[in-house]
Each structure stands twice: as C-alpha cells, then as structure tokens.
Amino acid sequence: MEDSFRIGIITKTHGIKGEVKVIPTSAEEGRFDILSDCFVLDKSGNPVNLKVKGVKYFKNQVILKFDGYNTIED
C-alpha cells in the first residue's frame, strides 16, 4: 500500500442497500468512474480491499456501492 493515496472520505451510509457517501479529496474529475477496487480503512485503521460495484454522483458527493455490501447493516 506504499503507492496509495486518499481520494475520498466516507462520511455515512446512503439509503438501505449498502451504499456510502464519499466526499472526494481528489481534484481529478472522473477518478471514481474508472475505479474498479480500492482500499478502505476499517475501524482499527487496517486497509480492506473492496471491489467497487457502482458509482453515482449527487451534488458534491460520490455515492459508492461495494461488492458484498447489500444492506445498511453490512
């Protein structure tokens, strides 16, 4: 994970289907459109590799859907 950098901050869940709201920290437009997988830090600060299943845009935020997360509880 040495060559990694932060492209966004997950702020909260979105809806009930396992999506999350992300505030982009990268100025490069379209970065999330080409994202196939990413690392997300868990509660202990350890990186977890997740596959991106969907990307939507809403106002100044990005809505991400990860593979395997299908409910708000996930």
Side-chain angles (χ1 to χ4, degrees), residues 8-57:
I9 301 169
I10 296 175
T11 58
K12 60 182 177 177
T13 59
H14 175 77
I16 60 169
K17 297 183 179 180
E19 297 173 316
V20 293
K21 288 185 180 182
V22 178
I23 297 176
T25 57
S26 171
E28 185 176 328
E29 292 184 26
R31 176 177 299 282
F32 290 91
D33 292 330
I34 61 171
L35 195 63
S36 61
D37 63 322
C38 64
F39 287 99
V40 175
L41 299 181
D42 66 12
K43 292 180 181 180
S44 301
N46 299 315
V48 178
N49 189 3
L50 298 175
K51 298 266 184 219
V52 177
K53 191 173 180 181
V55 178
K56 297 187 281 190
Y57 296 92

